[in-house]
Amino acid sequence: MTGNSQNPALTGAPQQARTRLSALWRPALVQAFVKLDPRQLLRSPVMLVVELTAVVTSLLCLVPAQGVSTGLALQIALWLWFTVLFANFAEALAEGRGKARADSLKAGGEGLRARRRNADGSFADVAASSLRRGDLVRVEAGELIPGDGEIVEGIGAVNEAAITGESAPVIRESGGDRSAVTGNTRLVSDWLLVRISANPGESTLDRMIALVEGARRQKTPNEVALDILLIGLTLIFLLVVATLQPFARFAGGDLPLVYLVALLVTLIPTTIGGLLSAIGIAGMDRLVRLNVIAKSGRAVEAAGDVHVLLLDKTGTITFGNRRCSALFAAPGVSAMALAEGALLASLADDTPEGKSIVDYLRALHPLQEPPRSAVTPVPFSAETRLSGIDWNGRVLRKGAVDSVLDFLGRDRAGLAPELAREIDSIAQSGGTPLLVCADGELLGAVHLKDVVKPGIRQRFAELRTLGIRTVMVTGDNPLTAAAIAAEAGVDDVIAEATPEKKLQRIRQEQAEGKMVAMCGDGANDAPALAQA
């Protein structure tokens, strides 16, 4: 998919891409010489022939030939070796991008620190890579969880988007089926005491890295056809050149072997075989200038043959965080009173959802806000699932439906029918309903939802006219996923998707002979990106 020059997520992408490319040059140069091994060049018959002719020409430089100067033979040999090395360098540079993807995943866990509990109950700062199964670690709000484990104490909201693609933080607590946590996910609120359950090399992130490194990219139909053509032309011209010397001697002449070698390399499609990778890299560089990042030259070519496009929902189809989209006032409550209560109750909520409510209402209603020094903030907590302020004798709260009702000492049966219907409607549409109360009175509900990016439905319609089927993949539950898929206009949806589930779907489509593309922006998408 093409990038938008106004998209802040892509700001600086060309410079970053050039920096990563320059970091690959040195190892690619080393690999250019390593790939001179004929066993590796068997995959490229044209370049193997060029290398063999370069060897022959180099040997001919040591044997004087009548009518051929040593300088000419040496010049031909040098050009042949340069051709092979350049082709190897271009291929190594393209392969280095795939390796860099796995290295970037590994770098995500490097330098991560953890607070490990000692036998005497004290905590020591250690490297996360030194943790072993059974170690106890304490994680504070805002920190990355250092490894896969199980919560033995505490409750908190964990942002698992990097692993599952789930757009909203999930509540994790000790005991029950919600106690498992994954390494390299971020704790949003409160604190947790986690017992590590995986040794180094056995974590979820390590399995993802293995999937990336083990993924195999299928050749496009154009590549297969071109390989067959190049092999056929090489065999034909080998036969042509091999018969020239007998014909020349039959006519009473003689052709120096160096000339025959030079003619062979001139006739066979050396340029196509040697510059195929370079052409792809040149195309990728042009795309970078347009803020479009291509993972390989083959991906640029394969884009024209795509049948199925898988898109990660979070950050690709939607903005990534649930945002406030509407307010519904309770019977007898004015819209302005609800807006004021929701704004004040969200001032102390530093979660993305809380900030979105403040931004939404500031743009909708220019309300007078109290100075921060005059209020007593009540920050959002995963345990209470509430936030709010106490100000001038007023008590304002906003939070999950059950949490607000418990705070007020009520139950759902006591809700006004209109408000109850609106809460159910929000939940059934895949959104998240929140309640707002002030001084013991319910003011109404706030609708949080994954906001689909503007114009995305029209883009999917254009892809459909090109014969490309779109599939949305998300870690959300089926109800939420279906609602967002309908709004975005995709052709199919995969809910509760894990990295393994995405990879399995791509392999299934490829087994049916379809060319599959993948669009995603998170670490959990890396295996699928490598396979597609």
Side-chain angles (χ1 to χ4, degrees), residues 1 308-314 316-317 456 459-460 463 468-474 490-494 502 516-521 525:
M1 296 183 66
V308 181
L309 173 62
L310 273 71
L311 302 106
D312 177 61
K313 183 207 71 174
T314 306
T316 306
I317 296 178
I456 200 76
R459 293 194 181 190
F460 290 155
L463 291 174
I468 299 176
R469 186 163 55 90
T470 53
V471 181
M472 185 185 80
V473 289
T474 175
V490 296
D491 299 313
D492 196 3
V493 61
I494 304 174
K502 297 176 188 179
V516 183
M518 173 70 190
C519 184
D521 61 354
D525 300 316

Side-chain angles (χ1 to χ4, degrees), residues 313 318 322-323 325-326 421-434 446-452 472 476-488:
K313 183 207 71 174
T318 66
R322 295 177 184 246
R323 298 186 176 188
S325 62
R421 282 196 299 269
E422 184 64 25
I423 291 173
D424 292 338
S425 175
I426 293 173
Q428 291 171 3
S429 69
T432 301
L434 302 179
V446 175
H447 185 176
L448 293 180
K449 62 176 291 188
D450 274 340
V451 178
V452 174
M472 185 185 80
D476 290 334
N477 62 72
L479 183 63
T480 301
I484 297 174
E487 183 179 354

Side-chain angles (χ1 to χ4, degrees), residues 59-72:
L59 294 176
L60 291 176
C61 293
L62 306 176
V63 180
Q66 185 178 3
V68 180
S69 66
T70 303
L72 177 60

Side-chain angles (χ1 to χ4, degrees), residues 45-46 49 227-243 264 267-269:
V46 174
V49 171
D227 283 343
I228 296 173
L229 176 63
L230 292 180
I231 293 172
L233 290 176
T234 301
L235 292 174
I236 291 173
F237 289 124
L238 271 172
L239 293 174
V240 170
V241 173
T243 58
L264 173 63
L267 290 176
I268 66 176

